[in-house]
Amino acid sequence: MSHFSIVAAALIACLPLARAHDDWGDRDRDRDRHAHPALRTPGTPPGIALPPLATPASAWDGKAFRGGVVSVSHPLAAQAGADVLARGGNAIDAAAAVQFMLNVVEPQFSGIGGGGFMMIHLAADGRGRDRGGRTFALDGREKAPAAATPAMFQLSGTTPQALFGIASTSGISVGVPGTLALIDTALKRWGTIRLSEAIEPAIGVAQNGFRINRFLAANIAGDGGRTSLQPETAAVFRPNGVPLAEGDLLVQPDLARTLRAIARKGPKVFYEGEIAQAIVAAQQRSRAPVAAEGAGRMTLRDLKDYGVLVREPISVDYRGWRVASMSPPSSGALTVGQMLLMLERFPIGDAARGYGFGEAKTLHVMAEAMRLAFADRARWMGDADFVDVPERGLLNRHYVASRAQLIGESTRMATPAAGNPLPYDERHRGDKRSVALPDNSEEVRPSHTTHYSIVDRWGNVVSFTTTIESTWGTGIMVPGWGFLLNNELTDFNLAPAKDTTPGDPGANDVAPGKRPRSSMAPTIVFKGREPVLAYGSPGGSTIINSVLNVTLNLIDHGMSLQQAIDAPRLSVTSAAGTISCEGTEAFMRPKFSVATQDALRALGHLGLGTANGADACTAAIGSVQGVAIDLRSGRQYGGADLRREGTVIGLKPVRAD
Ligand code: GLY
């Protein structure tokens, strides 16, 4: 067993294997719920909504299955997962095969040079080596190396405007990668196939090549220069200086060699062997004016010491559904959870009261809830192994109510400060710290990632968000090994925030061994203890909002999974509150009408231009891949996103009634 595996196993052994969180929301039975009356089932207690979610009316092609469903953003990756299910593997096995294939066919978004969070629900009688009926999250997030310091991104000779671009393409932003360790841990503990079996299909496609789809072609063409910065990366994606185009064959022999080495020797070759040495050398690359400042600080010891953690998801109860997602170091569950609890006060979905899908009132309260939650996120959220994140206070119903009261129905609020959840958190009740609460705004950085969801025939569910941070990561490809290194450490505060205002905890400041705050929100929705939906999205901080939009579409607007994914999304990622919204693609429907946009503009919302009558909803936000399970019939559905080449493959189709 490699040193890495011992670390991982030891961590797993000493962490309580999580049930889904003991549902803080369940304690809030008296919460003021304004459920859409049409969604209430006669006889249900007042305020408990039973939305029409248990039977998604239509999914991808309206097809239902019984043998498992894989929903991924690329057809070759979906096929790799489905093949594993067809051979009798479980959802964890399939997830492993999908990740290795994604490294080959979506190299710009995820891979062994990055990290991720995998939510797993083990069915009570599911096939696996472990007791079922539990939900937990594997944390394979990249870590700061032992030599990291809070001020390490203060690169001399850079302007604040240039800092992110330089840091994110230099070794200083490479976090110790966790994806391979995560997959290996998942397979060893809950899978039924060997790592080499999961890797094998990806080796073939890397060696023999595949035809580039329009999304990868667009990412190469519009890479902001990232694939030209390093010769190894340019040689793969711009051979002889010519960017590969849609339909071109992409062959990756170096990546095939890497995958073969891992299949033969196990993850030790990556975390301790020759690949580890190559990673450490590659992250010395720097584009900083003072090269030594931009060079990565990762050592062989950092790689050897990497450990996967098993964490307890955080869940909130929303109108009778339990929405479970990723706990710190991700801000996903806390931020989505805050928004849902704020929005539960409004009759979202009630068209008669102006809260139908895409109506101005609905979008207004969504935007305001996003602004309030992002203000809290910026101040309070980070790696809870290093800073005290007041998780219970942030989701306390009285605290959330005090925040939600700031939402006026007829006007946009001034930029909200972060709130103070400490008095609402039992661990902090005696805390007499005076906390100054400045305005917070979050820098929006375009970044991409991938989410996929799987359910198997036994009902095991995987919801996995996986990333190398920006599209192309740092753009640094490990020479001779053919995979890209992440720039995940730029998810930390680039300038230390601790005590820059009194009481600021610096929750997301860099520290040795710390994991940068993420927005990733792999989500599983439960009815009681049974999973009914799994989904998530890429898109940096917009991930949180994509998950919120889809959740409201499903629970409040009564959409099927596919409709919920297709519908245009709205996103605000800072307290300052600039709206971006979708609507250009034909499949995005129903549209946010121009009249609605005018109404939002009249309320004072930003980001929609100044002229009434113009359609400002032109953004592209996220890419959601999901699965749904109808508890009554046991049928399984998939929904995939045309914002990428989303593909659903199901096994054992159910004939239409
Ligand atoms: N890499 C995207 C995130 O962690 O939020």
Side-chain angles (χ1 to χ4, degrees):
M1 188 186 243
S2 72
H3 180 78
F4 146 69
S5 303
I6 292 167
V7 171
L11 286 164
I12 287 167
C14 57
L15 276 159
L17 259 188
R19 288 173 295 279
H21 198 284
D22 169 30
D23 208 350
W24 305 338
D26 274 351
R27 299 182 196 154
D28 302 341
R29 285 293 172 219
D30 58 340
R31 190 186 303 131
D32 178 23
R33 290 192 173 93
H34 297 276
H36 183 349
L39 299 180
R40 289 198 189 128
T41 302
T44 38
I48 305 288
L50 287 178
L53 175 63
T55 311
S58 63
W60 192 255
D61 277 347
K63 283 184 185 144
F65 304 91
R66 288 196 183 281
V69 176
V70 181
S71 175
V72 193
S73 53
H74 194 289
L76 289 174
Q79 192 62 57
D83 289 346
V84 169
L85 292 184
R87 287 197 299 270
N90 67 17
I92 292 95
D93 301 325
V98 169
Q99 174 62 81
F100 289 116
M101 190 62 84
L102 283 174
N103 198 153
V104 177
V105 298
E106 267 192 358
Q108 74 276 38
F109 294 142
S110 76
I112 55 176
F117 297 114
M118 181 182 284
M119 289 267 289
I120 298 177
H121 174 79
L122 297 178
D125 52 358
R127 183 177 175 209
R129 299 177 188 151
D130 222 327
R131 193 168 53 82
R134 291 169 302 144
T135 311
F136 49 91
L138 287 188
D139 175 344
R141 183 71 165 167
E142 299 92 330
K143 288 174 68 172
T149 60
M152 72 180 190
F153 285 115
Q154 303 304 291
L155 305 176
S156 39
T158 56
T159 61
Q161 295 75 20
L163 178 62
F164 176 75
I166 290 174
S168 70
T169 51
S170 297
I172 189 82
S173 68
V174 179
V176 185
T179 298
L180 178 59
L182 184 158
I183 295 294
D184 184 55
T185 302
L187 279 182
K188 281 202 175 96
R189 186 73 191 259
W190 299 284
T192 69
I193 64 173
R194 288 191 305 274
L195 186 67
S196 56
E197 291 175 71
I199 294 176
E200 197 183 304
I203 295 174
V205 176
Q207 185 66 49
N208 301 321
F210 71 100
R211 298 282 165 198
I212 286 185
N213 69 9
R214 73 181 170 95
F215 299 95
L216 176 51
N219 286 138
I220 296 171
D223 68 353
R226 243 179 169 83
T227 60
S228 320
L229 296 174
Q230 304 292 342
E232 300 81 9
T233 317
V236 174
F237 300 107
R238 297 174 172 269
N240 305 312
V242 181
L244 291 177
E246 184 179 358
D248 285 350
L249 193 69
L250 174 57
V251 184
Q252 301 171 85
D254 285 353
L255 181 56
R257 169 177 171 242
T258 302
L259 295 173
R260 246 185 244 112
I262 295 169
R264 218 171 36 245
K265 301 178 185 172
K268 191 168 178 175
V269 68
F270 184 94
Y271 285 99
E272 297 182 52
E274 42 191 332
I275 303 178
Q277 289 173 10
I279 293 171
V280 169
Q283 52 97 54
Q284 294 301 322
R285 304 243 176 120
S286 168
R287 298 184 60 249
V290 179
E293 292 181 5
R297 301 180 179 197
M298 195 193 310
T299 62
L300 287 172
R301 182 88 224 173
D302 290 315
L303 279 158
K304 191 173 175 183
D305 285 349
Y306 186 84
V308 175
L309 298 166
V310 182
R311 296 196 188 269
E312 192 170 6
I314 287 176
S315 60
V316 297
D317 182 70
Y318 182 67
R319 304 197 204 274
W321 303 91
R322 186 155 55 82
V323 181
S325 195
M326 191 62 216
S327 45
S330 184
S331 59
L334 287 172
T335 315
V336 172
Q338 275 202 327
M339 291 173 183
L340 288 173
L341 297 182
M342 282 189 246
L343 291 171
E344 207 172 25
R345 305 169 65 81
F346 299 94
I348 313 279
D350 187 347
R353 293 164 71 183
Y355 283 91
F357 177 86
E359 295 195 59
K361 280 187 174 181
T362 308
L363 299 181
H364 166 67
V365 295
M366 284 171 67
E368 298 293 77
M370 289 173 186
R371 296 173 65 204
L372 288 162
F374 269 91
D376 273 2
R377 173 184 179 274
R379 183 176 183 86
W380 297 113
M381 300 180 202
D383 184 347
D385 294 343
F386 286 74
V387 284
D388 207 351
V389 179
E391 297 171 12
R392 287 172 186 266
L394 287 164
L395 292 178
N396 176 280
R397 69 187 173 91
H398 297 293
Y399 174 66
V400 175
S402 73
R403 300 288 285 163
Q405 271 164 10
L406 300 174
I407 302 177
E409 291 197 48
S410 55
T411 183
R412 175 186 184 272
M413 73 183 117
T415 300
N420 182 4
L422 299 181
Y424 301 87
D425 193 301
E426 61 254 34
R427 287 173 308 123
H428 293 278
R429 232 163 241 145
D431 196 332
K432 297 282 189 291
R433 262 188 297 167
S434 95
V435 180
L437 302 171
D439 288 350
N440 283 299
S441 60
E442 181 75 3
E443 192 182 341
V444 184
R445 301 187 191 119
S447 78
H448 288 281
T449 296
T450 285
H451 181 88
Y452 58 94
S453 304
I454 301 173
V455 58
D456 65 25
R457 74 178 86 161
W458 299 279
N460 300 301
V461 175
V462 168
S463 182
F464 185 30
T465 313
T466 172
T467 187
I468 54 172
E469 174 61 359
S470 296
T471 305
W472 306 109
T474 49
I476 300 172
M477 179 171 280
V478 180
W481 298 98
F483 64 92
L484 290 159
L485 291 177
N486 71 82
N487 63 306
E488 211 69 55
L489 301 189
T490 56
D491 268 356
F492 279 121
N493 296 335
L494 295 187
K498 185 171 168 55
D499 290 331
T500 46
T501 53
D504 192 316
N508 192 36
D509 288 353
V510 186
K514 191 174 175 182
R515 288 155 150 92
R517 179 181 62 214
S518 173
S519 301
M520 295 195 284
T523 297
I524 303 181
V525 178
F526 293 83
K527 190 73 195 168
R529 295 196 164 273
E530 296 302 321
V532 292
L533 287 156
Y535 50 88
S537 179
S541 47
T542 68
I543 289 171
I544 289 162
N545 297 328
S546 290
V547 168
L548 180 80
N549 278 263
V550 170
T551 305
L552 299 181
N553 291 347
L554 289 159
I555 294 181
D556 294 316
H557 298 299
M559 296 184 188
S560 71
L561 178 58
Q562 190 57 54
Q563 289 166 339
I565 291 171
D566 289 346
R569 300 178 190 130
L570 172 129
S571 174
V572 176
T573 55
S574 70
T578 303
I579 285 181
S580 51
C581 51
E582 296 187 312
T584 46
E585 300 275 359
F587 68 86
M588 293 177 186
R589 59 180 71 236
K591 303 285 179 200
F592 299 141
S593 72
V594 169
T596 295
Q597 295 172 47
D598 290 346
L600 289 172
R601 211 176 283 119
L603 287 169
H605 285 286
L606 309 176
L608 300 164
T610 50
N612 279 350
D615 188 350
C617 288
T618 57
I621 303 169
S623 175
V624 175
Q625 325 298 330
V627 296
I629 304 140
D630 180 345
L631 292 182
R632 285 177 291 216
S633 66
R635 292 177 183 184
Q636 301 165 330
Y637 300 80
D641 205 323
L642 293 175
R643 292 163 182 83
R644 290 191 193 163
E645 202 177 352
T647 305
V648 170
I649 302 181
L651 287 86
K652 296 202 172 126
V654 178
R655 241 186 262 135
D657 297 326

